[in-house]
Amino acid sequence: MKRGHKRWVYSLLVGGTMTVSAVAIGLYLYQFGGGELDSDSSVWADLGTYLSGTVGVAAVTFTLFALILTLKQQDAIIEAQDEESRRGRAYENAIQIFPKILSSAHKDLQRHLSFDPGCVRDIAALDHDGPITPESILRHPNRFRVLGEVSPNCLRSIVNQSIGHPYRVTQFMVQQIHHAPELFDYFDCLLDEYRYWDCVEAVYAYHVGSEQDDEFCYLVRSKLRMRLSYNDPVSVEGIWQRIGAKLNE
């Protein structure tokens, strides 16, 4: 609560209580006052009862109002402190943890994928030269000559082995940017340095096509400034969107 607003509220509370008190006492004196102090204790008792029922109630009401305002102010201060704490942790995570996550994900691009025996025969449907790695799949999904030639189980195995690390990288960035939006530029520079943006976009496009994780897609779109969808069927992102749709028909 701003200082000027706070002072105005408390002035209103004190002034309101005093006004109610003055009006109540004035009405009582006008109705029952005789100009002299009465020696009868019962008259004073009546006055006390009257004041407790008017001025007392008004004072309690204004006090409760002030208490509510104070509690709201404290809640706002605590929330601001919590948000600042979350923002600080986001900076720490971005600086201390993210480079390690990104480096590990970048190295994983060269890992040879492994397949179940039942999937090996479907590998012939892949237009590939050399080992199949996450990089070769993420950046060249057109190696699936015809998606229909690869069984869904084999395709799902290839996809799951390829998108795991990029998904974690993407999710980590979104979580930190949620508390510190200015970190986007920092992540942008690191992804450019590692040439990893295309992997993040591939994972996002896959989830857009799958239509099964709307919250993830919304957060990625809003925090990482992604497109709503990819309509170019021959682009890398467009192919990944089609793969996501195929595996979740």
Side-chain angles (χ1 to χ4, degrees):
M1 185 183 297
K2 295 181 179 179
R3 180 176 298 180
H5 186 219
K6 180 178 178 180
R7 185 179 302 169
W8 178 84
V9 170
Y10 288 151
S11 297
L12 177 63
L13 295 178
V14 174
T17 303
M18 293 180 65
T19 300
V20 171
S21 301
V23 171
I25 294 174
L27 290 175
Y28 187 89
L29 292 176
Y30 176 79
Q31 183 68 27
F32 304 106
E36 297 180 358
L37 294 177
D38 203 311
S39 59
D40 188 353
S41 60
S42 63
V43 175
W44 289 99
D46 292 340
L47 175 61
T49 301
Y50 172 76
L51 292 178
S52 65
T54 54
V55 178
V57 171
V60 170
T61 301
F62 283 121
T63 300
L64 288 175
F65 184 48
L67 178 61
I68 292 173
L69 290 177
T70 301
L71 291 176
K72 286 186 176 181
Q73 181 184 7
Q74 291 177 345
D75 288 343
I77 293 174
I78 293 173
E79 177 61 27
Q81 291 174 341
D82 289 344
E83 182 59 34
E84 187 62 27
S85 176
R86 289 190 289 268
R87 184 169 176 269
R89 287 196 297 270
Y91 267 83
E92 291 180 4
N93 292 337
I95 295 173
Q96 299 178 9
I97 300 177
F98 183 70
K100 299 177 183 178
I101 294 177
L102 184 57
S103 176
S104 175
H106 185 262
K107 292 177 181 178
D108 184 73
L109 291 175
Q110 306 305 320
R111 173 176 51 86
H112 293 190
L113 301 187
S114 59
F115 303 99
D116 295 332
C119 185
V120 173
R121 63 177 179 271
D122 291 331
I123 302 302
L126 289 171
D127 181 15
H128 65 90
D129 295 315
I132 301 175
T133 63
E135 179 179 29
S136 66
I137 297 300
L138 287 166
R139 291 175 172 161
H140 307 284
N142 55 343
R143 296 177 73 176
F144 297 99
R145 291 203 307 266
V146 180
L147 293 179
E149 295 181 9
V150 182
S151 68
N153 288 338
C154 182
L155 183 59
R156 187 172 288 106
S157 174
I158 295 172
V159 169
N160 289 340
Q161 292 185 69
S162 300
I163 70 173
H165 275 77
Y167 179 84
R168 285 189 287 273
V169 168
T170 304
Q171 199 170 43
F172 186 90
M173 289 191 297
V174 167
Q175 291 171 349
Q176 311 318 312
I177 292 175
H178 177 71
H179 298 297
E182 63 275 13
L183 284 174
F184 173 84
D185 293 332
Y186 168 78
F187 290 129
D188 183 33
C189 290
L190 282 181
L191 290 181
D192 282 343
E193 180 181 343
Y194 279 86
R195 296 179 59 249
Y196 206 79
W197 261 120
D198 54 346
C199 299
V200 171
E201 287 187 292
V203 170
Y204 167 69
Y206 170 79
H207 282 85
V208 169
S210 70
E211 297 183 347
Q212 290 194 344
D213 199 342
D214 292 340
E215 182 179 1
F216 172 79
C217 292
Y218 169 77
L219 290 174
V220 173
R221 185 165 58 249
S222 60
K223 306 302 181 184
L224 300 183
R225 309 171 188 177
M226 296 291 195
R227 296 169 55 181
L228 181 62
S229 63
Y230 300 93
N231 299 320
D232 184 358
V234 298
S235 68
V236 171
E237 295 81 9
I239 295 174
W240 272 109
Q241 185 169 313
R242 287 166 51 209
I243 293 174
K246 175 180 174 61
L247 290 180
N248 293 277
E249 290 177 344

